[in-house]
Amino acid sequence: MTKWFFYVFPINQQSFKKSLTLKKIFTHTALISIVMWSASFSISYAETKKRHALSLIGTPKYGPDYKHFDYVNPDAPKGGRVRRWAIGSFDTLNPFATTKGQPATGITLIYDQLMQVSLEEPSTEYGLLAEWVSYPDDFSSATFKLRDGATWHDGKPVTVEDVIFSFNNVIKINPRQAQYYKNVSDVKKTGDREVTFSFDTKNNRELPQIISQLYILPKHYWTDKDKDGKPRDISKSTLEIPLGSGPYKISSMQPGRSITYERVKKYWGKDLSVNKGQFNFDEIRFTYFRDPVVAFEAFKAGQVDYHIETRSLNWAKGYNFPAAKKGFVKKRYVPEKSVRFMQAFVFNTRLPKFSDARVRKALNLVFDFETANKNLFYGQYTRLNSFFDETEMAAKGLPQGKELEILNEFKGQIPEQVFTTEFKAPVNGNPQNFRKNLRQALKLLKEAGWVIKNKKLVNAKSGEPMEISFLLVSPAFERIVLPYIKNLERLGIKSSARVIDSSEYTRRKIKFEYEIIVDSFPQSFSPGNEQRFFWGSKAADTPGTRNAAGIKNPVVDKIIDKIIFAKDRPELVAATRALDRVLLWNYYVVPQWYSAYDRIAFWSKFGYPKSLVMVDKDCDQTCKQKKLAEPGNIYTLNTGFLQTWWYDEAKAKKIKDAR
């Protein structure tokens, strides 16, 4: 990590003071003066280590005296209402007890973190609740100074005790956070508005930054009683409207149906540089729908203002309604500059039938992405071949250098192809390729102990038939899964797909009650501690973690540690490539696809920052490639809509008058 402080003088304080003592060349008075100067210098030296920002990639773009981020409009007007949609329902307003219910969409808008992410700089954050952060060169601790004036919505100050309470409770009730902050050994107050997190290990460069991502909760609220006089319990779900400190608060809600957030006019942080030009809407409302098709109909009717399009068929043919033809609804491409992370069909390897990598590879071979992309997706997607695609961390070619050195440590414990062959997802798309892949799949299944009897694939020893169930939460995936099921039938495998509501899906996912699901594994440009709950052995048996595949691989665990404790960027990249290669060649998932851009549509009553590059639907491919390559695009999956856009009264009136 680039160190964000400056050395005033290249001098070793301890050696300097020791030499003064040994030589005794100063009088008593002079010595006192020197010691006083030295102490003063030590204080100044310590202060230079106070960082207003953290980055795992390089030097933060903005210095301590920055006025606002370049990607915002600092003069954006406040006001107006925006309506969004969400799928499914919600049954809790406590997002921190992740094994207890389905949290409401947008709930974190009411909370502040110690530091806030920059949308234009990967893996970079700037002080929010924290005025500054400091840490020693060995990364053995991190100290945060809370801003004077930070308050909860009830007017009470945000305190160090709130930070300590938040950390200690979140790691108890949230298994993901427990893994994320595994190396934090202690947290305590160390000064006026100062809190220090101590770590049980050194040289974990990411720890100060991931601590800064902690959402801070009000201790006085959670340790008090509710309106019925009962003690509140942060470990349980609740529909009581919670207290926050962020730019929004909950103004109303209908459990499972809608939730509305109101901008806090006297928000303590509204004038901070880190917030300037952001959180501009007076009201944000999420309405829940059971089906994205119905949600899109609400968007077309003007009941929803902003739509992220995830269905390629709809993007190709669904925007010929009157409002779009008249120009009231805009349809835009937005360049996607984040990591092309893995989205996939995920095998639950906790089940015996998926425990053999040969079986998993066989099932990979008969997924026909190419035909799906042509017939269902209108050629809009690219096949994933990495858990970190389109980045320097993706495993390309054959391993060499530091990556090869890492992998050689595990030779004989990992697939030999790791060393000999670049991973490429199987290619189908025509009868010849499919027949070839089908033969290879049957051969692998036979090697794994599965044979065809009476047109059914059965276990050669037990006679148990191979049957597979896909658990889905989105009906849109049925059209993708059904052709896959037909291909599996060619292997003698009886398969089925079941779509369930989001609450039931969440419950079953938490308890690992599924065979194959569709899941994704978001990644940053600086992977670290989160890899433990994606792939770590301990996470495999911890309900609520992200290790959906149930991976228990000691080699994976050791490579994750190499990522976490990487000394510099080259070492981090090498270790991440090694992890990527080992995960791919073990076939824990069937890779799906990614797009080079996000697809958004919105009613034309909003303003947005000039830094946001968008391309309209009529731009041809040459124009699209040229414009999407322009610099200045922000690194965000959702275009920073709720954070950086604003309501334009003149545009809204024009639409209203025309309708």
Side-chain angles (χ1 to χ4, degrees):
M1 178 187 295
T2 300
K3 295 177 174 57
W4 188 252
F5 59 92
F6 304 96
Y7 292 98
V8 181
F9 297 103
I11 186 170
N12 184 308
Q13 289 294 101
Q14 297 300 320
S15 298
F16 183 70
K17 287 187 285 186
K18 183 177 180 181
S19 67
L20 290 177
T21 302
L22 291 175
K23 294 181 180 179
K24 299 181 183 293
I25 59 174
F26 291 96
T27 65
H28 181 70
T29 302
L31 183 58
I32 291 176
S33 299
I34 289 296
V35 170
M36 289 177 64
W37 173 85
S38 179
S40 174
F41 179 81
S42 296
I43 293 172
S44 174
Y45 176 79
E47 288 176 349
T48 62
K49 288 191 175 183
K50 295 173 183 175
R51 298 158 171 83
H52 73 290
L54 293 173
S55 176
L56 289 169
I57 301 297
T59 302
K61 175 180 177 180
Y62 301 95
D65 298 323
Y66 75 106
K67 302 303 181 183
H68 59 79
F69 293 131
D70 289 344
Y71 58 80
V72 305
N73 173 9
D75 301 315
K78 307 291 185 183
R81 178 178 69 161
V82 62
R83 298 162 298 173
R84 299 286 303 273
W85 62 265
I87 289 297
S89 65
F90 69 92
D91 55 14
T92 182
L93 299 179
N94 179 4
F96 306 102
T98 55
T99 61
K100 305 289 184 179
Q102 180 70 25
T105 299
I107 189 65
T108 54
L109 286 168
I110 75 172
Y111 296 106
D112 280 327
Q113 298 168 286
L114 291 171
M115 304 184 81
Q116 182 170 295
V117 68
S118 165
L119 296 182
E120 66 177 333
E121 300 172 85
S123 302
T124 303
E125 300 182 15
Y126 291 79
L128 180 55
L129 279 172
E131 181 180 341
W132 52 257
V133 57
S134 66
Y135 54 83
D137 291 340
D138 63 1
F139 298 93
S140 57
S141 66
T143 298
F144 295 86
K145 175 83 167 185
L146 296 184
R147 290 187 191 273
D148 188 14
T151 61
W152 299 103
H153 294 156
D154 63 2
K156 293 184 178 180
V158 179
T159 67
V160 167
E161 286 72 23
D162 292 323
V163 177
I164 295 171
F165 171 85
S166 302
F167 178 81
N168 287 337
N169 280 275
V170 167
I171 63 173
K172 287 179 183 177
I173 65 176
N174 190 317
R176 297 181 187 177
Q177 298 298 299
Q179 283 289 304
Y180 203 40
Y181 298 128
K182 176 183 176 182
N183 292 119
V184 180
S185 58
D186 188 32
V187 54
K188 60 185 178 182
K189 185 173 184 177
T190 52
D192 180 29
R193 304 197 317 276
E194 289 187 19
V195 57
T196 297
F197 294 82
S198 299
F199 310 139
D200 63 7
T201 186
K202 297 180 180 181
N203 300 316
N204 186 334
R205 303 183 315 123
E206 190 184 41
L207 281 174
Q209 190 153 337
I210 66 174
I211 289 293
S212 76
Q213 299 165 0
L214 182 70
Y215 284 104
I216 306 305
L217 310 176
K219 179 180 179 180
H220 69 280
Y221 171 85
W222 284 104
T223 55
D224 199 357
K225 296 179 180 180
D226 63 20
K227 58 183 177 59
D228 297 323
K230 297 179 180 179
R232 295 188 176 100
D233 189 344
I234 197 173
S235 69
K236 296 181 179 179
S237 62
T238 179
L239 288 172
E240 180 184 16
I241 293 179
L243 178 67
S245 66
Y248 289 89
K249 62 182 179 180
I250 299 172
S251 60
S252 64
M253 62 103 183
Q254 293 179 290
R257 300 180 64 183
S258 68
I259 186 166
T260 302
Y261 300 92
E262 174 189 356
R263 186 170 62 86
V264 179
K265 303 295 193 299
K266 295 183 179 181
Y267 170 45
W268 74 271
K270 64 184 177 64
D271 295 322
L272 293 178
S273 300
V274 73
N275 284 329
K276 195 72 173 177
Q278 303 182 65
F279 307 111
N280 303 311
F281 299 116
D282 274 354
E283 183 179 290
I284 300 171
R285 178 182 174 87
F286 290 94
T287 300
Y288 280 79
F289 297 88
R290 296 290 182 181
D291 189 314
V293 175
V294 179
F296 184 65
E297 291 301 315
F299 172 72
K300 290 164 60 177
Q303 298 169 12
V304 173
D305 298 314
Y306 182 90
H307 180 70
I308 300 175
E309 186 59 74
T310 59
R311 296 179 299 154
S312 52
L313 174 62
N314 209 43
W315 187 253
K317 296 187 175 183
Y319 289 81
N320 56 359
F321 53 94
K325 290 180 178 179
K326 293 177 181 179
F328 298 154
V329 169
K330 303 295 184 183
K331 178 184 176 187
R332 295 289 185 265
Y333 295 101
V334 180
E336 173 57 81
K337 295 193 70 177
S338 64
V339 179
R340 311 292 197 261
F341 55 78
M342 181 62 71
Q343 177 179 294
F345 295 110
V346 181
F347 302 111
N348 188 351
T349 64
R350 302 170 187 85
L351 304 176
K353 59 185 165 188
F354 296 135
S355 62
D356 193 313
R358 292 169 294 188
V359 172
R360 302 193 296 266
K361 181 177 180 180
L363 302 185
N364 263 269
L365 284 162
V366 296
F367 175 61
D368 190 351
F369 163 75
E370 289 72 26
T371 298
N373 195 34
K374 178 181 178 182
N375 296 338
L376 301 178
F377 306 151
Y378 295 85
Q380 295 180 34
Y381 294 120
T382 301
R383 188 76 188 272
L384 282 160
N385 281 293
S386 170
F387 286 82
F388 309 87
D389 227 329
E390 297 297 324
T391 73
E392 63 177 338
M393 299 171 291
K396 302 296 184 183
L398 297 182
Q400 53 185 317
K402 182 62 179 179
E403 181 195 356
L404 180 59
E405 182 182 324
I406 291 170
L407 292 169
N408 276 332
E409 293 180 35
F410 309 109
K411 203 170 182 66
Q413 304 174 59
I414 54 180
E416 187 60 29
Q417 296 97 320
V418 163
F419 301 96
T420 62
T421 311
E422 180 181 9
F423 180 88
K424 293 290 184 182
V427 176
N428 283 293
N430 60 57
Q432 295 80 11
N433 284 347
F434 183 75
R435 284 195 295 269
K436 180 184 70 174
N437 288 335
L438 188 66
R439 288 193 296 270
Q440 186 180 355
L442 287 169
K443 180 181 178 182
L444 287 166
L445 290 167
K446 185 176 182 180
E447 291 174 1
W450 296 87
V451 296
I452 299 288
K453 287 186 179 180
N454 300 321
K455 297 183 180 181
K456 293 182 179 180
L457 188 70
V458 300
N459 188 282
K461 292 183 179 179
S462 67
E464 177 186 2
M466 170 73 83
E467 296 181 353
I468 292 175
S469 173
F470 292 81
L471 189 67
L472 305 173
V473 71
S474 171
F477 255 95
E478 284 187 290
R479 69 192 186 109
I480 300 163
V481 171
L482 291 178
Y484 191 15
I485 286 176
K486 288 184 179 180
N487 290 348
L488 292 171
E489 290 174 353
R490 300 280 296 273
L491 293 173
I493 299 173
K494 181 181 178 181
S495 303
S496 62
R498 182 185 175 193
V499 180
I500 59 178
D501 66 58
S502 60
S503 295
E504 176 66 8
Y505 183 85
T506 299
R507 185 194 68 79
R508 292 187 60 174
K509 187 177 178 183
I510 287 171
K511 295 184 176 181
F512 311 126
E513 294 175 353
Y514 52 83
E515 294 188 348
I516 298 178
I517 60 172
V518 175
D519 206 354
S520 58
F521 307 92
Q523 299 286 356
S524 73
F525 285 91
S526 185
N529 291 261
E530 75 284 349
Q531 305 305 310
R532 285 175 172 156
F533 58 79
F534 279 157
W535 333 111
S537 295
K538 186 175 180 180
D541 296 323
T542 305
T545 62
R546 293 296 303 273
N547 190 346
I551 299 170
K552 285 187 175 181
N553 187 327
V555 172
V556 169
D557 293 335
K558 291 175 182 176
I559 296 178
I560 289 173
D561 280 345
K562 290 182 181 294
I563 292 173
I564 292 172
F565 297 106
K567 296 182 180 63
D568 51 35
R569 182 71 184 174
E571 191 172 310
L572 173 70
V573 170
T576 305
R577 288 175 179 170
L579 175 66
D580 189 30
R581 216 176 288 267
V582 171
L583 291 174
L584 290 167
W585 282 107
N586 274 288
Y587 291 97
Y588 294 117
V589 304
V590 180
Q592 292 181 353
W593 49 80
Y594 70 88
S595 173
Y597 44 81
D598 287 333
R599 298 168 300 200
I600 66 170
F602 53 93
W603 283 80
S604 185
K605 52 185 177 181
F606 304 106
Y608 51 83
K610 294 180 180 179
S611 61
L612 179 60
V613 176
M614 298 194 291
V615 178
D616 66 36
K617 63 176 182 176
D618 298 321
C619 180
D620 63 24
Q621 193 63 31
T622 302
C623 162
K624 189 189 307 178
Q625 290 175 349
K626 179 181 178 181
K627 289 191 176 183
L628 294 184
E630 290 178 357
N633 306 328
I634 59 179
Y635 288 82
T636 177
L637 290 176
N638 62 4
T639 73
F641 177 68
L642 293 180
Q643 202 163 332
T644 64
W645 291 37
W646 60 91
Y647 184 80
D648 189 314
E649 289 189 8
K651 290 181 179 179
K653 186 177 185 301
K654 184 177 180 181
I655 292 175
K656 184 178 179 180
D657 292 345
R659 297 186 76 190

